Amino acid sequence: MFDTTCIGNAIVDVISKTDDAFLETESLVKNSMNLIDMARAEELYAKMKSAIEMSGGSAANTAAGVASLGGNCAYVGKVRDDQLGDIFTHDIHASGVTFETKKSTEGAATARSLILVTPDAHRTMNTYLGACIELGPEDIDPEVIAASKVTYMEGYLWDPENGKQAFRKAAEIAHAAGQRVSLTLSDSFCVDRYRAEFQDFIEGGVDILFANEDEIKSLFETEDFDAALDTVRGKVEIACLTRSEKGSIIVKGSETHTIPADTEIEVVDTTGAGDLFAAGFLYGFTNGHDLATSGRIGSMAAAEIISHYGARPTSDLKELLQKKLAVA
């Protein structure tokens, strides 16, 4: 039924330009994701310059990317029955993604991430998880997971205990149905918090792993990327490792595919680059393309997303892909 089902934190992004001095004043580590409470969210929002609001959330961005490429995708994530929840629901439906997770009717508000973008295009995220922490095993539809070629999950959802249980349930259902399980590590600070748990989960049930250079080095506690690459090769069926302007490397067993980055794009905002790389790769992989071609589709999707503000495609990725394949 589905190429991919994506599970993650349903978040509305609030994106604003800033400078390094503001990050220092607010004691924020550039290019990190910080979990904040509602009081801090309101305090930081009041200090931000004019902002753009749009739906986000790592796995939701990936789902939107798969759909934009022409894939059939479902999404599982929790929002509250409030204004931001309505915005998120509208946007993901409009992107062509199946989204049927029941909204919370009480408790915390829909999540939001305050994203500060510095002149070098790096983003620093400050996330109030809100209703996201209510997502649990009961929100996992066995029929949807069993009918998905790949179930893709974001590491950020590992913070709440309910999220871990949802992951484990989804992975068990997927494997029982003969389907694949995929995980993105999301953030090196997230890896630092749950390194041992991630390692256990990866070795026990992840077929396709996504990580950037910092995340994979953090996972295996090394400063040597090549060492981390060699280690992950034996842990999962496929590992997709992104390296910003250096491109990406995809490994499967003894295979190694080096994918160049698109250097012709003017980088405006790196928010969502990893999410869209995953979207492109998963679309290619679940639609019969080889690993190298799937990686190039991922690179194309990532290039589109960093050419503008926001983590959802503003161009028709299916049309871009058709042009790219025609040239190739």
Side-chain angles (χ1 to χ4, degrees), residues 21-296:
F22 182 81
L23 299 183
E24 292 175 9
T25 299
E26 296 299 319
S27 301
L28 299 173
V29 178
K30 182 189 286 191
N31 214 26
S32 68
M33 193 283 283
N34 313 289
L35 294 177
I36 59 177
D37 58 20
M38 191 63 177
R40 174 58 171 158
E42 292 176 344
E43 175 191 13
L44 194 57
Y45 181 73
K47 296 178 180 178
M48 290 168 60
K49 297 178 181 178
S50 59
I52 302 169
E53 294 185 2
M54 56 185 64
S55 295
S58 177
N61 297 335
T62 298
V66 172
S68 181
L69 284 160
N72 195 6
C73 193
Y75 176 72
V76 180
K78 204 75 168 176
V79 297
R80 176 70 196 273
D81 60 343
D82 54 18
Q83 183 179 6
L84 289 184
D86 290 343
I87 290 172
F88 182 92
T89 300
H90 170 272
D91 288 351
I92 200 160
H93 283 160
S95 70
V97 174
T98 298
F99 175 50
E100 298 179 348
T101 310
K102 187 177 181 180
K103 291 180 180 179
S104 296
T105 57
E106 57 184 21
T110 295
R112 71 285 317 262
S113 184
L114 308 181
I115 302 176
L116 300 164
V117 183
T118 41
D120 57 8
H122 286 289
R123 80 282 186 273
T124 303
M125 298 180 289
N126 304 274
T127 304
Y128 166 63
L129 289 176
C132 287
I133 64 173
E134 301 299 326
L135 182 74
E138 66 278 3
D139 294 305
I140 302 300
D141 185 335
E143 292 186 3
V144 171
I145 301 300
S148 302
K149 296 175 185 175
V150 176
T151 294
Y152 172 86
M153 302 177 278
E154 67 175 76
Y156 286 135
L157 196 58
W158 204 261
D159 280 301
E161 183 61 34
N162 283 346
K164 296 177 188 180
Q165 298 306 320
F167 272 16
R168 293 188 176 108
K169 178 179 177 180
E172 289 175 4
I173 294 168
H175 282 150
Q179 312 287 27
R180 286 182 171 89
V181 172
S182 181
L183 172 72
T184 175
L185 292 180
S186 294
D187 185 276
S188 58
F189 292 90
C190 188
V191 176
D192 290 341
R193 291 194 293 273
Y194 304 109
R195 182 175 295 107
E197 293 182 26
F198 274 145
Q199 289 177 345
D200 288 343
F201 184 65
I202 288 166
E203 292 189 37
V206 172
D207 304 297
I208 305 172
L209 180 68
F210 291 89
N212 66 25
E213 186 166 358
D214 289 337
E215 292 157 5
I216 200 66
K217 290 193 295 186
S218 174
L219 182 67
F220 297 118
E221 297 184 273
T222 178
E223 289 303 314
D224 185 339
F225 174 77
D226 290 332
L229 178 70
D230 289 339
T231 303
V232 77
R233 192 187 296 273
K235 303 289 186 184
V236 295
E237 178 187 356
I238 300 168
C240 302
L241 309 179
T242 56
R243 309 185 74 189
S244 300
E245 70 278 358
K246 297 177 185 177
S248 60
I249 296 179
I250 299 169
V251 297
K252 179 183 180 182
S254 60
E255 295 180 44
T256 302
H257 303 276
T258 302
I259 313 298
D262 188 339
T263 56
E264 296 180 3
I265 294 292
E266 180 184 355
V267 180
V268 174
D269 173 17
T270 58
T271 306
D275 304 336
L276 268 292
F277 178 87
F281 180 86
L282 290 171
Y283 170 79
F285 181 77
T286 57
N287 282 276
H289 294 286
D290 59 33
L291 295 181
T293 302
S294 298
R296 288 193 291 272

